[in-house]
């Protein structure tokens, strides 16, 4: 399908869409091995339709030795047997479309797996070879080359360089099993184009670009400032970090956009961890990515001023592209836990769900947040995230936010799997949080999401891309969607405040006609 005319409005489906991130390992398991898979997702499409989401983002299900749970890709155009096969993928796409749900997939251009044939060839080839030129192989420093080529550290802890048998070093911004690809290399670029076309030809509706601020590296690979050394985990990178956000990365995004433009209705969203709004905006220029993930809401505490600042920054950073809103994903602590956990965390999470879903633009939900799942405090023996080992057991990593979803029943594995084990242990306390337990309960988190998504989709008050702020008491804010007129008010202060005038559409907790209680938000028209 090549574009011949101007895009029709249906091609812009993503502009106000609600995406649902399926962390494939943890959503639903169809074959009893305790790890989620593509057939598992397909079996739960009815649930996703009922929830009311427009599109899925599937985390990597490609052939991988799973050193970083699939973000180490050995073949980007094959399904890992753990998750199914291409036929299962085709069935999933066809059925999702039949349910009115779009499908987007993750691509990981910054690095490959060490088991990728290219990297195996590079290890076997001599320094200076064409095989090594697809990655970053360099001689070390010091008289015998025993020091890494520069001082860069890995995002997962430890040096960003590992020494190959013949003495050269190779670069990996993540684990040593995720060597960074060299984006100056034409074969690397051509391969990504091939991967994008491969999935588009199979019917996918778009992509999430992993580490979209990575790829390009500065000439000469200069040292990083000392204060950044050893910082681990997902966070925004400042301009002076030479590992990320280099100018040439925009060539990669123009390449991705060109391919997407050949398939009307397809889109790409980038994972962009950069500090400044101005730098962020460059990724979503008209000839680059359609959307960028900003993580301002993830970084904001439950505090009206902080949330308002996060919203304003996100709107500025998005430039002409629709802003995106994320409260949680598979790399960060779940927001129920970030907001204090327990009943307080849930109450605040409910309030923030209505803030997120009132905002103009695109919302990304992370599987399980519609159930109000908290992080799980996993025992040491259960931890699998490479961050835990790489950080020398100082950073417990991201497993706590990746525990499989509870579907039905009163004890683990809550129908996540028919087997008796799950890849991360599920807590018995989740009995009250299953889909089954929440579906018919009008006060549940799941019911709140269903009502909010339904209103967002059908009510005219949600139209229009601009918002204006109202004056509000300390610890509170209120904004209005300029087009449709929806008002969203949030109270993060410790006391009730007067409710703004209007008819109540939905509230995160019971409200009277006159007062907005603490830790509560409301939608009014
Ligand atoms: C991204 C992914 C994360 C992964 C990393 C390396 O940040 O979201 O899960 O570990 O890239 O690919």
């Amino acid at each position: 399908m090549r574009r011949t005319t101007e895009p029709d409005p249906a091609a812009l489906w993503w502009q106000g869409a609600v995406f649902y991130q399926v962390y494939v390992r943890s959503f639903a398991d169809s074959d009893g091995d305790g790890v989620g898979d593509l057939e598992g997702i397909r079996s739960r499409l009815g649930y996703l339709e009922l929830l009311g989401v427009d599109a899925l983002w599937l985390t990597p299900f490609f052939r991988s030795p799973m050193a970083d749970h699939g973000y180490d890709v050995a073949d980007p155009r094959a399904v890992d047997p753990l998750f199914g096969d291409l036929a299962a993928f085709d069935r999933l796409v066809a059925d999702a479309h039949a349910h009115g749900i779009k499908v987007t997939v993750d691509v990981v251009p910054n690095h490959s797996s060490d088991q990728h044939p290219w990297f195996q060839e590079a290890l076997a080839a001599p320094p200076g070879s064409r095989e090594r030129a697809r990655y970053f192989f360099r001689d070390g420093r010091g008289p015998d080359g025993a020091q890494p080529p520069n001082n860069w550290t890995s995002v997962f802890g430890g040096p960003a360089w590992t020494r190959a048998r013949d003495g050269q070093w190779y670069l990996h911004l993540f684990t040593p099993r995720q060597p960074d690809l060299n984006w100056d290399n034409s074969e690397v670029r051509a391969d990504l184009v091939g991967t994008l076309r491969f999935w588009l030809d199979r019917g996918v509706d778009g992509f999430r670009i992993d580490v979209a601020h990575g790829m390009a590296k500065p000439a000469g690979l200069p040292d990083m400032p000392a204060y950044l050394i050893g910082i681990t985990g997902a966070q925004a990178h400042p301009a002076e970090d030479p590992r990320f956000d280099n100018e040439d990365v925009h060539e990669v995004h123009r390449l991705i956009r060109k391919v997407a433009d050949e398939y009307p209705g397809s889109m790409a969203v980038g994972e962009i961890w950069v500090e400044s709004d101005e730098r962020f905006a460059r990724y979503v220029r008209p000839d680059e990515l359609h959307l960028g993930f900003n993580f301002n809401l993830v970084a904001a505490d439950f505090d009206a001023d902080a949330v308002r600042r996060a919203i304003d920054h996100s709107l500025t950073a998005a430039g002409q592209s629709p802003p995106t809103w994320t409260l949680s994903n598979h790399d960060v602590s779940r927001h129920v836990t970030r907001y204090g956990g327990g009943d307080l965390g849930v109450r605040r999470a409910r309030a923030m769900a209505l803030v997120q879903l009132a905002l103009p633009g695109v919302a990304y939900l992370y599987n399980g947040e519609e159930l109000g799942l908290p992080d799980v405090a996993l025992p040491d023996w259960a931890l699998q995230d490479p961050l835990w080992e790489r950080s020398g057991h100082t950073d417990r990593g991201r497993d706590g936010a990746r525990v499989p979803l509870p579907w039905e029943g009163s004890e683990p594995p809550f129908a996540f799997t028919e087997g008796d084990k799950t890849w991360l242990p599920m807590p018995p306390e989740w009995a009250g949080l299953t889909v089954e337990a929440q579906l018919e309960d009008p006060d549940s988190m799941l019911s709140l999401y269903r009502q909010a998504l339904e209103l967002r989709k059908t009510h005219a008050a949600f139209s229009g891309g601009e918002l204006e702020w109202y004056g509000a008491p300390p610890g509170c804010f209120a904004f209005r969607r300029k087009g449709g007129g929806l008002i969203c008010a949030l109270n993060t202060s410790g006391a009730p405040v007067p409710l703004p005038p209007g008819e109540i559409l939905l509230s995160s907790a019971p409200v009277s006609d006159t007062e907005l209680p603490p830790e509560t938000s409301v939608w009014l028209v």
Side-chain angles (χ1 to χ4, degrees):
M1 270 202 301
R2 298 292 144 111
R3 171 183 292 176
T4 49
T5 53
E6 281 306 295
D8 71 284
L12 303 177
W13 61 269
W14 43 272
Q15 289 203 341
V18 175
F19 283 76
Y20 183 91
Q21 179 189 354
V22 175
Y23 191 69
V24 178
R25 293 182 77 81
S26 298
F27 187 69
D29 175 29
S30 72
D31 63 3
D33 66 358
V35 179
D37 50 39
L38 299 177
E39 275 296 315
I41 302 168
R42 195 167 76 92
S43 74
R44 298 292 186 181
L45 286 170
Y47 167 74
L48 294 167
E49 189 179 355
L50 198 71
L51 175 59
V53 298
D54 302 304
L56 308 181
W57 150 27
L58 309 179
T59 55
F61 50 83
F62 317 113
R63 190 178 291 280
S64 164
M66 306 292 165
D68 186 19
H69 291 140
Y71 283 98
D72 50 318
V73 181
D75 182 349
R77 298 183 284 275
V79 174
D80 195 277
L82 189 63
F83 300 127
D85 55 21
L86 278 174
F89 180 77
D90 292 344
R91 285 193 298 273
L92 172 58
V93 172
D95 281 14
H97 287 167
H99 282 269
I101 298 174
K102 309 276 187 193
V103 178
T104 67
V105 303
D106 225 313
V107 291
V108 188
N110 180 70
H111 44 266
S112 77
S113 159
D114 64 340
Q115 297 306 306
H116 191 293
W118 277 357
F119 192 70
Q120 292 300 313
E121 286 169 23
L123 286 180
S129 58
R130 171 181 165 191
E131 287 80 359
R132 287 204 171 178
R134 299 178 186 125
Y135 295 91
F136 289 91
F137 279 84
R138 295 286 185 277
D139 292 330
R141 290 185 295 194
D144 50 1
Q147 300 297 315
N150 68 21
N151 71 350
W152 292 6
T153 52
S154 146
V155 173
F156 291 159
W161 296 92
T162 291
R163 207 165 190 194
R165 273 221 199 102
D166 61 12
Q168 274 208 316
W169 298 75
Y170 69 89
L171 176 68
H172 52 85
L173 293 185
F174 297 90
T175 74
R177 305 199 53 190
Q178 293 165 294
D180 278 52
L181 287 158
N182 173 13
W183 277 86
D184 288 337
N185 185 287
S186 59
E187 288 180 274
V188 169
R189 292 194 298 270
D191 192 67
L192 177 68
V193 171
T195 297
L196 298 174
R197 286 190 202 288
F198 178 86
W199 295 108
L200 286 164
D201 288 337
R202 296 198 99 85
V204 308
D205 302 287
F207 301 100
R208 179 256 189 192
I209 311 296
D210 188 61
V211 199
H213 53 308
M215 275 85 86
K217 306 294 184 296
L221 306 178
D223 277 349
M224 60 196 265
Y227 80 94
L228 292 172
I229 289 177
I231 297 177
T232 56
Q235 46 209 303
H237 295 276
E240 57 273 22
D241 188 336
R243 298 170 301 172
F244 294 101
D245 192 28
N246 290 289
E247 187 54 34
D248 287 350
V249 72
H250 297 288
E251 285 306 320
V252 182
H253 297 310
R254 286 187 195 105
L255 185 68
I256 292 171
R257 182 57 178 255
K258 261 202 189 135
V259 179
D261 280 347
E262 293 169 9
Y263 293 78
S266 70
M267 52 75 67
V269 58
E271 179 201 24
I272 306 167
W273 289 98
V274 300
E275 251 179 30
S276 99
D277 297 342
E278 188 274 325
R279 300 297 299 184
F280 185 98
R282 296 155 63 87
Y283 289 78
V284 288
R285 290 177 287 198
D287 61 343
E288 298 194 35
L289 298 171
H290 302 76
L291 298 171
F293 276 120
N294 73 76
F295 299 102
N296 292 316
L297 283 185
V298 169
D301 289 338
F302 185 78
D303 166 76
D305 291 339
V307 175
R308 178 174 168 165
R309 267 197 308 276
I311 292 171
D312 281 335
H313 276 294
S314 303
L315 291 171
T316 307
Q320 294 308 303
S321 72
T324 69
W325 310 102
T326 302
L327 291 172
S328 284
N329 63 35
H330 66 296
D331 290 328
V332 300
S333 184
R334 285 185 175 276
H335 55 275
V336 164
T337 300
R338 292 204 315 271
Y339 295 150
D343 290 344
L344 181 69
V346 169
R347 195 175 163 95
R348 293 174 166 181
R350 291 175 66 96
M352 285 303 294
L354 294 196
V355 171
Q356 180 192 19
L357 294 171
L359 289 163
V362 177
Y364 273 88
L365 311 181
Y366 175 50
N367 59 196
E369 76 182 51
E370 79 279 19
L371 304 176
L373 299 185
D375 285 356
V376 178
L378 293 163
D380 289 3
W381 61 261
L383 296 180
Q384 302 199 22
D385 186 352
L387 250 168
W388 170 238
E389 286 301 327
R390 296 275 309 162
S391 69
H393 296 185
T394 57
D395 186 330
R396 295 187 75 75
R398 303 159 292 179
D399 292 322
R402 296 176 172 181
V403 171
L405 259 60
W407 291 93
E408 288 153 31
S410 54
E411 53 188 53
F414 299 113
F416 164 74
T417 177
E418 283 172 7
D420 45 15
K421 280 209 190 73
T422 53
W423 75 277
L424 290 171
M426 299 177 71
E429 310 84 79
W430 280 8
L433 294 178
T434 63
V435 171
E436 182 184 45
Q438 297 197 38
L439 208 50
E440 302 296 329
D441 172 2
D443 297 327
S444 69
M445 185 72 94
L446 180 54
S447 294
L448 180 74
Y449 270 86
R450 286 180 63 196
Q451 292 172 72
L453 292 176
E454 170 80 19
L455 281 169
R456 184 185 151 104
K457 191 171 289 178
T458 56
H459 202 291
F462 290 79
S463 61
E466 278 181 76
L467 63 80
E468 61 188 345
W469 295 102
Y470 285 153
C476 300
F477 69 52
F479 64 77
R480 179 172 170 277
R481 293 276 292 263
K482 269 192 183 170
L486 176 79
I487 293 167
C488 176
L490 171 71
N491 180 2
T492 65
S493 78
V497 295
L499 196 64
E503 179 202 333
I504 296 173
L505 276 186
L506 189 61
S507 59
S508 67
V511 293
S512 72
D513 286 345
T514 52
E515 278 191 342
L516 182 62
E519 334 281 354
T520 303
S521 65
V522 62
W523 286 354
L524 303 147
V525 282

